[in-house]
Amino acid sequence: MINYFKYITKNGLNVTYVEKKNFNKCYVGIGVKYGGCNLSYTIDGVTYNDYPGMAHFLEHKLFSMPYGDAYTEFTKLNASANAYTSCDKTVYFFSTNENLYEPLKVLLDMYFTPYFTSEGVEKEKDIIVSELNMYDDKVYARFQK
């Protein structure tokens, strides 16, 4: 039996909940319609331009927290976390066989209260530039820059 619920929170967050009876593992994800192909965005009629790799940069940086690395927090809670950036979206997710609510708090905390330091930004910029350069000799990636 599958129970499926969908609703929108007061702040506009779309929530989908799927419950499968007799399944032990829980999967939770949160995403944004902003990926590697998005090189600009508009807020209140003003368009802002971004650099290639910005979505992937943000994917990495959202795991930085004032108390350390969110990956470590997920591990402490027996949850496995990851994220990915595609052309049109970025998704953060975790899975667990145990308590759902504590890892969910970590996921929501990292997503809605990003933490950036100058040192962390500089370090991550170098990582993202290195990753972008890995695709210079890939024909399929040349048209996405």
Side-chain angles (χ1 to χ4, degrees):
M1 171 113 186
I2 297 176
N3 291 318
Y4 181 87
F5 305 97
K6 199 168 190 179
Y7 61 94
I8 300 174
T9 64
K10 290 179 185 177
N11 68 357
L13 179 67
N14 290 296
V15 176
T16 303
Y17 173 79
V18 180
E19 179 184 38
K20 294 183 177 184
K21 297 290 183 194
N22 300 319
F23 277 70
N24 294 327
K25 186 164 265 192
C26 176
Y27 297 90
V28 177
I30 189 169
V32 62
K33 293 180 184 179
Y34 182 78
C37 292
N38 299 108
L39 297 178
S40 66
Y41 58 94
T42 303
I43 298 175
D44 296 329
V46 178
T47 299
Y48 301 89
N49 294 315
D50 270 339
Y51 296 99
M54 182 59 77
H56 193 66
F57 170 84
L58 292 171
E59 173 200 322
H60 284 210
K61 287 310 301 166
L62 283 190
F63 281 92
S64 296
M65 303 301 291
Y67 50 79
D69 183 23
Y71 280 113
T72 303
E73 293 304 308
F74 284 112
T75 301
K76 288 178 186 176
L77 298 168
N78 294 319
S80 177
N82 210 336
Y84 68 88
T85 300
S86 67
C87 184
D88 64 340
K89 67 182 158 283
T90 304
V91 177
Y92 305 85
F93 59 94
F94 72 87
S95 64
T96 185
N97 291 344
E98 297 183 14
N99 180 358
L100 161 71
Y101 298 104
E102 292 304 314
L104 178 58
K105 287 178 188 175
V106 174
L107 181 68
L108 294 174
D109 190 30
M110 63 180 256
Y111 190 83
F112 287 108
T113 56
Y115 175 74
F116 298 93
T117 63
S118 297
E119 302 82 30
V121 167
E122 288 305 314
K123 179 180 175 186
E124 197 61 43
K125 281 189 338 190
D126 292 341
I127 292 168
I128 296 301
V129 167
S130 174
E131 289 184 11
L132 282 170
N133 290 336
M134 289 187 322
Y135 292 99
D136 279 346
D137 60 349
K138 307 282 192 237
V139 173
Y140 67 86
R142 298 292 295 166
F143 299 103
Q144 294 179 7
K145 285 191 172 185

